[in-house]
Amino acid sequence: MALGLTREPVGVKLFFSEEEYNAYDAPEVRGKIPYCCMVERATRGRHIKSKLEHHNCDGATTALALEDSTERIESGTEYFSYNLYSTPATARRMREQIVSLHRTGVRTYGVLLAPLAEMEIIPDVILLVVNPYQVMRLVQGYVYQYGGKPTLNYGAMQAVCSEATVVPYVTGEINISCLCPSTRLLARWRDEEMIVGLPYEHLQHTVEGVIATINSTDLKRRKEEIMERFKQKGKDLPLDLNTDYEG
């Protein structure tokens, strides 16, 4: 409510066995679609479970460790074929820096995506599709308690699967991505949209930090909008309308 998100925050849960995958009641996606398109659907309220057979993007299937990679991918040959890198060596260097769970040797059986507010299990990572202003406020909330600038991992490649999902999962830290050409084409994100990946264990202190910094950072107009959103949910959030960042 403090941020005025236009899309639902999405929880991501990785399942490592058939038993735990089957135990969670959610519909499997129909057909084969890219992971980032599943995420986009979840931001609009969908609950989605998927296994390898439901995915048609090998960037995501390797990043999430649903399957092994190939020599063509790891050599950079696949990346070079996209005409995004000047040489095969450049493409290979980029590939080697992609954070990908397939390198751990542990296979993921399936993935759950659902609106965070409706999840019945603790997620591993929270995905927030936001605009630049909301990214700023999330970072302010994130650093409020502990300080220190986040170390970001971004290269406009595998934005949703690696940069937003796997990087926070592996590092335990927030990551921010301006998305990548593939997901912007496939999932049809708006030009101003970005994505933030946040480990679940950082959620509470980030939310608390966002709220704690409203008086210092938001203008009167924004504060009034925030207070109204809280009021509509039956909650009271008293803010100082006479104080902002400039005084």
Side-chain angles (χ1 to χ4, degrees):
M1 288 183 287
L3 293 176
L5 301 177
T6 59
R7 292 181 181 269
E8 293 282 347
V10 172
V12 183
K13 180 66 178 178
L14 304 184
F15 294 119
F16 298 99
S17 71
E18 182 178 3
E19 291 74 22
E20 61 177 349
Y21 178 85
N22 290 336
Y24 193 92
D25 184 21
E28 285 188 327
V29 67
R30 294 182 179 180
K32 296 169 72 74
I33 65 173
Y35 171 75
C36 58
C37 293
M38 298 182 196
V39 171
E40 195 279 331
R41 292 182 182 184
T43 68
R44 293 186 284 112
R46 297 280 296 276
H47 294 237
I48 299 170
K49 284 198 306 185
S50 63
K51 298 179 290 189
L52 175 61
E53 65 199 61
H54 302 118
H55 292 253
N56 69 352
C57 172
D58 55 22
T61 56
T62 54
L64 299 170
L66 290 165
E67 67 175 343
D68 269 331
S69 189
T70 65
E71 287 189 10
R72 177 178 171 83
I73 294 172
E74 297 306 310
S75 67
T77 303
E78 182 68 22
Y79 276 15
F80 185 65
S81 73
Y82 302 157
N83 295 318
L84 293 175
Y85 305 101
S86 60
T87 66
T90 304
R92 181 167 183 169
R93 287 194 294 272
M94 172 57 78
R95 176 58 192 171
E96 289 178 349
Q97 293 180 65
I98 295 294
V99 181
S100 185
L101 288 177
H102 83 274
R103 298 190 179 104
T104 68
V106 178
R107 289 290 157 263
T108 300
Y109 182 82
V111 182
L112 169 69
L113 298 167
L116 176 62
E118 300 173 7
M119 288 195 82
E120 299 176 357
I121 191 173
I122 294 175
D124 299 312
V125 174
I126 312 301
L127 302 178
L128 301 109
V129 177
V130 288
N131 63 38
Y133 178 83
Q134 293 163 338
V135 172
M136 179 193 74
R137 293 294 290 120
L138 283 167
V139 172
Q140 286 176 319
Y142 181 80
V143 303
Y144 175 76
Q145 296 282 1
Y146 306 110
K149 291 185 176 182
T151 300
L152 302 182
N153 184 314
Y154 176 61
M157 174 57 73
Q158 294 188 217
V160 178
C161 59
S162 176
E163 293 173 352
T165 303
V166 178
V167 170
Y169 182 89
V170 170
T171 66
E173 299 292 340
I174 192 172
N175 201 39
I176 300 166
S177 173
C178 297
L179 300 173
C180 63
S182 294
T183 190
R184 286 194 178 277
L185 173 68
L186 295 168
R188 299 181 180 180
W189 306 108
R190 293 188 289 270
D191 287 351
E192 68 274 15
E193 288 183 316
M194 304 167 61
I195 190 165
V196 173
L198 185 70
Y200 175 78
E201 55 267 29
H202 286 295
L203 177 62
Q204 181 173 340
H205 80 74
T206 300
V207 172
E208 292 171 351
V210 168
I211 292 174
T213 54
I214 292 174
N215 276 328
S216 297
T217 60
D218 280 312
L219 300 175
K220 179 180 179 180
R221 170 182 59 82
R222 289 189 184 274
K223 291 178 186 178
E224 291 173 338
E225 292 171 354
I226 293 168
M227 292 170 68
E228 180 60 26
R229 288 196 294 269
F230 271 76
K231 182 179 178 180
Q232 290 174 1
K233 295 293 185 179
K235 299 179 182 295
D236 181 43
L237 182 65
L239 297 174
D240 185 352
L241 299 179
N242 299 313
T243 303
D244 58 29
Y245 190 73
E246 296 182 338

